[in-house]
Amino acid sequence: MAGIMSLSLFLFSSYTGNDPSMRTLSGSVSNNYLQLSTVFDYAFDNDFTEVFKSGKQIPLYYRVEVRSAGGIVFQKTYYNSVSYDNMKGSYKVYQSGIGQSFELGSHNAVIAAMSSLACSIPIERKWGTATVALEAWLPTVEFPQIKRKVDLMVLWKYRRPTTKGTFNLRLST
Amino acid sequence: MKKISFRPGFRSFILIIYVLITVSGLILLNSFSQAKQRQIRTILDEQNSIDRLREIKHLSAADSLLVNDAISAYNQSKSIVNVTLGEASMYSALILLGIIVGSSCLFIFLLSHISKPLRELKNATDQIRKGNFAVHLPETGIHEMKMLKNSFNMMSHELEAIQKKLLVAEKEMIWKDLSRILAHEIKNPLTPIQLAIQRIEERLTDEDSDLRSLLPQTIDIISQEIENLRLLAQDFSGFAKIAQPQQSIFNPADAIREICKSYMDNYHIRLEMRPDMNIRFDRTHFYQIITNIVQNAIDASAPDAPIDITLVKDKRFAVISIKDYGAGIEAEDMTRIFEPYFSKKSKGTGLGLALVKRLTEVNSSIVRAKSKIGEGSTFILIIEGSSE
């Protein structure tokens, strides 16, 4: 479906939208935790200015899935979120993966913060070499002032960016 | 795989034009819509005056909240408009692609529905051209196609019936020709036999006549005519049952010299043979062919006129030419000389050259003839050489 959409957009549409992709997943093991991180590219370049300034909390979800010996051994969904305070004119960004929030003044700083995905997941050494997959998506949000819902995946052309990495969990770094 | 060539007809052209116009119209409409959406986005992007509300100082808490809500509502509306415009752009492109793909598939389906029965008709016509009149088409498809196929089937029925009548008429004609020739050829020897017997009868009744002096001559005449009848029967029999060739490898030059030995004493036959090649042929058939052609050459030539027989090698073929310097054959007769029962001679069955042609063909070889009035005729045999 994503391929057909891309083809039709390429042929018959002038809509720019966004073409999000994730860089290679990096990870390090310490104290029975696997620290994962990656960054979005081109995820929020177009049409997100007013969305982030809407005053509504806008989340970005990403699911982490760890596979070992052919089965799923760990799965959890994290989120980054942004909300705008009209009175202050500043943004509040929260990253659930590392449990931190930031107050930022510029749209570009918000994009940088929202594009950064980081989390720390508990592991068992017996999993050995595991494959970690990460998939991100945007939800449907309802704007309270105008009582309308909008599926934010439109801004990503309905494509969910993914990335993968393989890690030897027996080795500490 | 069979090569399929496609030539669109009138109906296909109409379909193609219709699809092109429709698709072009849709693309044009889409482009117009996209342009208008871009205009709306540009206008929206330029609308930032709402942010100036934040610059209003000395507002009460309630008014500040109202301003906040207004700004939030504005930003939310702008977000929704942007997202909706994006959605409209994407879905219109997707729908347009769907329409183009769908109409193309429909077009191809309709075209195949139209062209398939036309191909069936073309194949059936090819069958008719090859002489197979038993071909019939299933009367299926749209009304016009059914009518066309029905007409075709009626035509092939009629052609089949005409073909059968023609075959019967041809057989009748052959039998008539054969009967005419047989009757003529049998009558010829019977007349002298009858006359000879009548003379014997007359002498028997005449007491004074010497029968003994008449008998040797009469016996000769009767024997000769019986021999002619026997040869006649042999000719017909030989033509009717041509045995499967029993091929063997032999040197044609040696065979031709052997055949011509009996003619050398009485006729001026000149041989030019290439000795170093063999052919695979039925030896008996070969002897019959050469004998018939040489005999024809002798019949066509003046008593002292030469008859040239040459054997040459042309790539892997042996080419035997038998040339006489007789009167030649008329141009309009050249197409018929190999037909059975065709003859310009006063005597003969007209089967000699027909036999030559049949025997040549069963041995997978070719016989040709060329002639010029006043200069003579040449018969050419082309036989594949044997490497053994």
Side-chain angles (χ1 to χ4, degrees):
Chain A
M1 189 61 199
I4 295 171
M5 186 68 82
S6 301
L7 178 64
S8 60
L9 284 172
F10 173 72
L11 291 173
F12 303 119
S13 176
S14 59
Y15 177 60
T16 317
N18 298 281
D19 295 305
S21 61
M22 279 195 266
R23 294 183 200 170
T24 311
L25 191 61
S26 60
S28 59
V29 178
S30 69
N31 296 332
N32 295 329
Y33 280 89
L34 174 63
Q35 322 289 340
L36 293 168
S37 66
T38 184
V39 178
F40 271 120
D41 287 321
Y42 315 114
F44 305 105
D45 295 355
N46 298 307
D47 302 328
F48 274 94
T49 311
E50 284 72 31
V51 173
F52 288 161
K53 273 188 170 178
S54 62
K56 167 89 181 163
Q57 189 186 35
I58 306 297
L60 153 71
Y61 294 103
Y62 57 99
R63 180 172 54 232
V64 175
E65 194 176 86
V66 181
R67 281 180 178 268
S68 172
I72 298 173
V73 292
F74 178 84
Q75 189 174 296
K76 189 169 178 180
T77 301
Y78 298 92
Y79 67 94
N80 289 356
S81 70
V82 58
S83 56
Y84 183 68
D85 188 338
N86 278 309
M87 296 308 288
K88 285 186 185 176
S90 65
Y91 302 86
K92 191 174 177 184
V93 173
Y94 177 69
Q95 293 176 339
S96 74
I98 52 175
Q100 285 194 7
S101 47
F102 312 88
E103 193 160 324
L104 302 166
S106 73
H107 180 69
N108 289 339
V110 169
I111 287 176
M114 287 292 284
S115 299
S116 171
L117 308 183
C119 60
S120 184
I121 62 173
I123 56 162
E124 291 179 35
R125 301 282 173 161
K126 67 177 182 186
W127 293 346
T129 302
T131 304
V132 182
L134 206 144
E135 184 188 44
W137 68 95
L138 295 167
T140 300
V141 294
E142 185 175 358
F143 292 124
Q145 264 80 2
I146 57 172
K147 292 183 179 55
R148 281 198 186 268
K149 285 185 184 176
V150 61
D151 182 357
L152 295 176
M153 282 300 289
V154 169
L155 303 176
W156 277 2
K157 300 177 193 173
Y158 295 105
R159 226 177 18 229
R160 291 188 175 201
T162 57
T163 188
K164 266 187 187 175
T166 304
F167 305 98
N168 187 346
L169 301 177
R170 291 201 180 98
L171 297 172
S172 290
T173 51
Chain B
M1 195 172 148
K2 232 180 173 179
K3 188 181 170 186
I4 300 169
S5 63
F6 168 67
R7 271 198 194 162
F10 181 65
R11 208 179 285 212
S12 310
F13 269 125
I14 290 178
L15 269 171
I16 289 169
I17 289 166
Y18 172 74
V19 168
L20 279 174
I21 289 173
T22 314
V23 168
S24 308
L26 286 170
I27 291 172
L28 201 63
L29 185 65
N30 180 65
S31 303
F32 178 75
S33 167
Q34 299 280 339
K36 287 298 163 193
Q37 285 172 21
R38 279 198 301 277
Q39 274 183 9
I40 293 169
R41 279 176 181 277
T42 308
I43 292 165
L44 275 178
D45 286 342
E46 287 165 5
Q47 297 301 316
N48 292 317
S49 51
I50 194 75
D51 288 332
R52 296 180 66 185
L53 285 177
R54 213 176 277 115
E55 294 166 16
I56 300 171
K57 306 288 181 201
H58 312 298
L59 283 173
S60 65
D63 288 341
S64 294
L65 272 173
L66 281 173
V67 164
N68 197 33
D69 283 348
I71 294 172
S72 295
Y74 174 77
N75 283 330
Q76 286 168 18
S77 300
K78 208 172 164 187
S79 305
I80 289 214
V81 167
N82 274 331
V83 169
T84 307
L85 282 172
E87 230 176 346
S89 183
M90 281 201 294
Y91 280 109
S92 63
L94 192 63
I95 289 166
L96 181 58
L97 183 68
I99 289 172
I100 290 171
V101 169
S103 58
S104 302
C105 291
L106 186 65
F107 169 72
I108 291 166
F109 171 75
L110 285 174
L111 206 60
S112 67
H113 241 61
I114 293 168
S115 60
K116 187 188 166 197
L118 291 175
R119 273 200 304 278
E120 279 175 9
L121 199 59
K122 188 238 174 218
N123 291 339
T125 312
D126 284 341
Q127 289 291 313
I128 297 257
R129 190 172 49 84
K130 286 174 187 168
N132 175 17
F133 299 117
V135 63
H136 295 297
L137 294 170
E139 289 172 25
T140 54
I142 56 177
H143 177 66
E144 290 86 349
M145 278 299 160
K146 271 189 199 167
M147 283 172 59
L148 184 61
K149 286 178 182 180
N150 177 260
S151 296
F152 179 87
N153 288 339
M154 282 170 60
M155 179 196 75
S156 71
H157 269 303
E158 280 166 24
L159 282 172
E160 202 178 357
I162 290 170
Q163 188 191 37
K164 282 177 183 160
K165 283 182 193 168
L166 274 172
L167 280 170
V168 167
E170 203 178 316
K171 274 184 188 166
E172 270 184 26
M173 198 178 75
I174 290 170
W175 277 113
K176 278 181 187 166
D177 277 344
L178 182 59
S179 307
R180 181 176 50 78
I181 292 167
L182 262 177
H184 180 265
E185 293 300 319
I186 290 172
K187 202 173 64 175
N188 280 350
L190 288 179
T191 304
I193 292 173
Q194 190 183 23
L195 286 171
I197 291 171
Q198 273 178 350
R199 276 204 288 275
I200 292 174
E201 276 180 344
E202 281 164 10
R203 290 291 175 95
L204 276 175
T205 55
D206 190 353
E207 288 175 4
D208 294 327
S209 68
D210 182 10
L211 188 59
R212 271 194 193 203
S213 64
L214 182 64
L215 271 179
Q217 189 190 5
T218 312
I219 289 167
D220 272 344
I221 291 170
I222 294 171
S223 298
Q224 183 60 47
E225 297 305 333
I226 289 171
E227 177 61 17
N228 287 343
L229 279 170
R230 192 188 64 77
L231 285 172
L232 178 72
Q234 192 178 295
D235 268 353
F236 275 99
S237 169
F239 186 76
K241 41 174 185 172
I242 290 176
Q244 281 299 310
Q246 306 288 325
Q247 291 189 339
S248 57
I249 297 168
F250 58 92
N251 189 318
D254 294 339
I256 290 170
R257 283 197 199 92
E258 199 179 317
I259 295 163
C260 292
K261 217 188 274 184
S262 55
Y263 294 99
M264 289 294 204
D265 293 336
N266 299 319
Y267 303 101
H268 186 192
I269 295 180
R270 303 191 289 211
L271 298 177
E272 197 179 315
M273 302 279 113
R274 171 142 176 193
D276 59 339
M277 68 178 303
N278 289 334
I279 56 171
R280 180 183 281 277
F281 211 91
D282 183 304
R283 197 183 270 265
T284 310
H285 292 174
F286 187 80
Y287 272 60
Q288 275 181 287
I289 290 166
I290 301 295
T291 304
N292 277 10
I293 297 175
V294 167
Q295 190 59 56
N296 261 17
I298 291 169
D299 292 343
S301 304
D304 291 328
I307 293 167
D308 293 328
I309 304 177
T310 57
L311 166 65
V312 296
K313 187 174 178 180
D314 184 2
K315 290 177 188 157
R316 66 176 196 278
F317 294 96
V319 181
I320 303 167
S321 302
I322 302 172
K323 180 172 172 51
D324 68 69
Y325 296 88
I329 304 169
E330 298 281 347
E332 62 262 25
D333 292 336
M334 282 300 288
T335 54
R336 299 190 65 194
I337 56 171
F338 292 111
E339 279 179 20
Y341 320 120
F342 178 79
S343 176
K344 288 288 185 133
K345 296 185 212 172
S346 53
K347 280 181 78 171
T349 57
L351 290 175
L353 286 178
L355 191 64
V356 161
K357 189 164 187 334
R358 287 274 302 266
L359 291 174
T360 312
E361 283 168 0
V362 299
N363 282 278
S364 308
S365 300
I366 299 168
V367 60
R368 290 202 189 117
K370 50 184 183 178
S371 184
K372 209 164 182 181
I373 296 294
E375 290 182 19
S377 309
T378 305
F379 284 81
I380 301 161
L381 271 173
I382 303 170
I383 304 170
E384 191 169 352
S386 171
S387 52
E388 293 168 45

